């Protein structure tokens, strides 16, 4: 924790908050005084809400499917009903489902990857904008990835490239409304095993080899030759969300040990 009161009296919406980086953002922000809306389609988000409340935060849980605009609108409506405003939106939903060469993906898998890693950010930004425009203030931090230049997950890479373009264009369009929009391009990140796996099917021997290729490429592309930690990603996300970054917008910050993506 850098500043115990950095987000005092600010309303922060965190998507994908049930585990991983989203959980890390939620708990760190709770410790720094934020009032929280934690969104996820997994009921596990309620456990994170309890952890955040134990740190003294006021917390609202939105169990929604952010692959749909209806889910994003419901999340924003719950936030506004409780707090009357939204100061910060952290878009964290996403993550590759399959690991294999592009020619091995079928049509349904490609569409599923785009729905998973682009649409939740797109929908959440669209849903929150009217409130931020009306209050003429707000900060959006999108979680992207250095995998925009990577192997064996091309649909995911394309989705995160879309997140980067969305970030730049929204920043240009809405700076006039006092809204800052930035992204953190996360590198490989060490995390506990997912409680809800993105792909529940066991990997075949060939798929394990392809996934090992991703790990090797990620480490070799990092100048530091390692994966990062959740805390290292959270620190960058919360910096861009905070007033310390008040003159930064339209930026994609790579946090990948020197890999620029």
């Amino acid at each position: 924790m850098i500043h115990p009161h950095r987000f005092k009296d600010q309303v922060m919406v965190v998507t994908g908050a049930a585990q991983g980086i989203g959980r890390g953002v939620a708990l760190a922000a709770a410790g720094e005084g934020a009032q929280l809306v934690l969104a996820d389609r997994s009921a596990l988000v309620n456990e994170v809400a309890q952890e955040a409340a134990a740190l003294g935060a006021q917390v609202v849980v939105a169990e929604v499917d952010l692959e749909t605009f209806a889910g994003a609108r419901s999340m924003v409506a719950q936030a506004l009903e409780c707090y009357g405003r939204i100061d910060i939106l952290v878009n964290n939903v996403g993550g590759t489902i399959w690991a294999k060469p592009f020619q091995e993906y079928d049509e349904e898998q490609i569409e599923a990857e785009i729905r998973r890693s682009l649409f939740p950010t797109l929908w959440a930004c669209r849903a929150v904008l009217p409130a931020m425009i009306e209050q003429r203030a707000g900060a959006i931090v999108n979680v992207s990835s250095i995998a925009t230049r990577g192997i064996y997950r091309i649909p995911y890479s394309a989705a995160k490239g879309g997140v980067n373009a969305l970030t730049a264009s929204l920043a240009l369009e809405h700076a006039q409304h006092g809204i800052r929009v930035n992204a953190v391009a996360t590198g490989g990140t060490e995390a506990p095993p997912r409680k809800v796996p993105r792909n529940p099917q066991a990997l075949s021997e060939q798929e394990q080899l392809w996934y090992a290729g991703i790990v090797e490429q990620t480490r070799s592309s990092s100048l530091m030759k390692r994966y990062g930690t959740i805390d290292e990603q959270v620190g960058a996300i919360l910096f861009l969300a905070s007033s310390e970054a008040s003159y930064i917008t339209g930026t994609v910050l790579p946090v990948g040990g020197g890999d620029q993506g």
Side-chain angles (χ1 to χ4, degrees):
M1 187 187 304
I2 301 173
H3 303 293
H5 306 294
R6 182 162 53 165
F7 298 109
K8 188 177 187 304
D9 298 327
Q10 293 190 56
V11 177
M12 180 185 297
V13 177
V14 183
T15 75
Q19 54 191 325
I21 292 172
R23 174 181 177 273
V25 169
L27 296 182
E32 297 193 21
Q35 298 171 307
L36 296 171
V37 178
L38 304 185
D40 207 289
R41 63 185 178 188
S42 169
L44 291 170
V45 70
N46 290 283
E47 297 178 10
V48 180
Q50 291 174 3
E51 293 180 85
L55 294 170
Q58 183 177 352
V59 187
V60 172
V61 170
E63 286 188 47
V64 292
D65 181 0
L66 291 173
E67 291 184 9
T68 70
F69 188 36
R73 285 188 297 182
S74 174
M75 174 186 72
V76 167
Q78 290 179 62
L80 295 176
E81 181 179 2
C82 181
Y83 299 114
R85 61 183 294 112
I86 298 172
D87 299 295
I88 300 162
L89 169 64
V90 177
N91 283 312
N92 175 65
V93 174
T96 189
I97 306 169
W98 293 280
K100 52 188 173 180
F102 189 42
Q103 69 271 16
E104 300 292 332
Y105 282 83
D106 62 33
E107 179 180 357
E108 291 75 17
Q109 290 172 337
I110 291 170
E111 291 182 352
E113 293 278 13
I114 300 300
R115 284 197 306 272
R116 173 72 179 181
S117 290
L118 175 58
F119 274 97
T121 298
L122 199 68
W123 292 141
C125 286
R126 170 61 183 84
V128 82
L129 272 173
M132 287 187 171
I133 291 170
E134 183 176 359
Q135 66 199 30
R136 300 197 67 79
I140 297 173
V141 182
N142 298 323
V143 177
S144 180
S145 173
I146 60 171
T148 48
R149 188 184 294 268
I151 62 171
Y152 298 159
R153 43 185 172 167
I154 300 300
Y156 171 73
S157 300
K160 289 304 189 180
V163 169
N164 292 348
L166 170 67
T167 298
S169 296
L170 274 180
L172 181 62
E173 189 168 295
H174 292 289
Q176 63 179 317
H177 299 120
I179 302 169
R180 295 186 303 106
V181 189
N182 293 291
V184 169
T186 61
T189 305
E190 298 284 0
R194 290 183 60 84
K195 296 178 180 178
V196 181
R198 298 188 185 104
N199 180 5
Q201 297 180 337
L203 298 181
S204 68
E205 186 173 332
Q206 178 60 73
E207 288 170 331
Q208 292 178 47
L209 289 173
W210 286 328
Y211 188 82
I214 290 178
V215 173
E216 173 57 31
Q217 184 256 305
T218 300
R219 286 206 173 101
S220 64
S221 297
S222 167
L223 303 185
M224 301 172 115
K225 306 304 179 189
R226 68 171 176 87
Y227 270 45
T229 67
I230 286 177
D231 286 346
E232 286 171 325
Q233 304 298 342
V234 168
I237 292 166
L238 291 185
F239 164 68
L240 289 175
S242 76
S243 60
E244 295 172 347
S246 58
Y247 197 47
I248 301 174
T249 195
T251 293
V252 178
L253 173 63
V255 185
D259 186 348
Q260 301 300 300

